[in-house]
Amino acid sequence: QVQLVESGGGLVQAGGSLRLSCAASGRTFGSYRMGWFRQTPGKAREAVATISWNGLSTVYADSVKGRFTISRDNTKATVYLQMNSLKPEDTAVYYCAADSRSSGHYDYWGQGTQVTVSS
């Protein structure tokens, strides 16, 4: 069983920055691919960024490339999402997720943290 707890969301003006954190329980965090996703009401959930177990491979949505950076610290069982140059369209609930079986399917999810970017 894996528990994921996000933090760091909030209200920020356009052009500002936020850093989201996701703390994971479980001894095998270091073997999981991790991802950040976001969702707004009435829209499908969107993958924002993912990172391999060792941090060497990252994938970003086109909409956040060059502005967001995903990273992880396996010694702290934590994954981060640094968000810079935020835009109002980045407003969403952001979720952290774990692919515990390396299947491409994210089977553990956090409760989400709200990010609101004002114009």
Side-chain angles (χ1 to χ4, degrees):
Q1 189 76 4
V2 177
Q3 290 188 325
L4 304 173
V5 179
E6 301 100 333
S7 61
L11 174 63
V12 64
Q13 288 188 330
S17 299
L18 282 175
R19 188 175 84 153
L20 305 183
S21 299
C22 173
S25 65
R27 293 175 294 175
T28 54
F29 169 84
S31 66
Y32 302 159
R33 185 170 191 89
M34 299 295 295
W36 285 98
F37 297 76
R38 66 187 181 187
Q39 189 167 26
T40 55
K43 292 188 177 181
R45 186 168 53 202
E46 172 190 23
V48 175
T50 65
I51 188 167
S52 61
W53 67 272
N54 57 6
L56 295 182
S57 173
T58 57
V59 179
Y60 295 93
D62 287 343
S63 58
V64 307
K65 281 180 182 176
R67 300 188 298 122
F68 291 10
T69 302
I70 189 171
S71 61
R72 66 190 297 161
D73 184 342
N74 287 344
T75 65
K76 298 181 179 179
T78 302
V79 63
Y80 305 96
L81 185 68
Q82 178 66 44
M83 305 186 294
N84 298 328
S85 302
L86 282 160
K87 304 175 181 179
E89 52 263 43
D90 294 318
T91 295
V93 177
Y94 284 71
Y95 298 90
C96 170
D99 174 6
S100 69
R101 302 174 186 175
S102 299
S103 65
H105 172 69
Y106 288 82
D107 47 350
Y108 292 100
W109 293 82
Q111 81 288 350
T113 186
Q114 177 70 47
V115 171
T116 302
V117 184
S118 63
S119 57

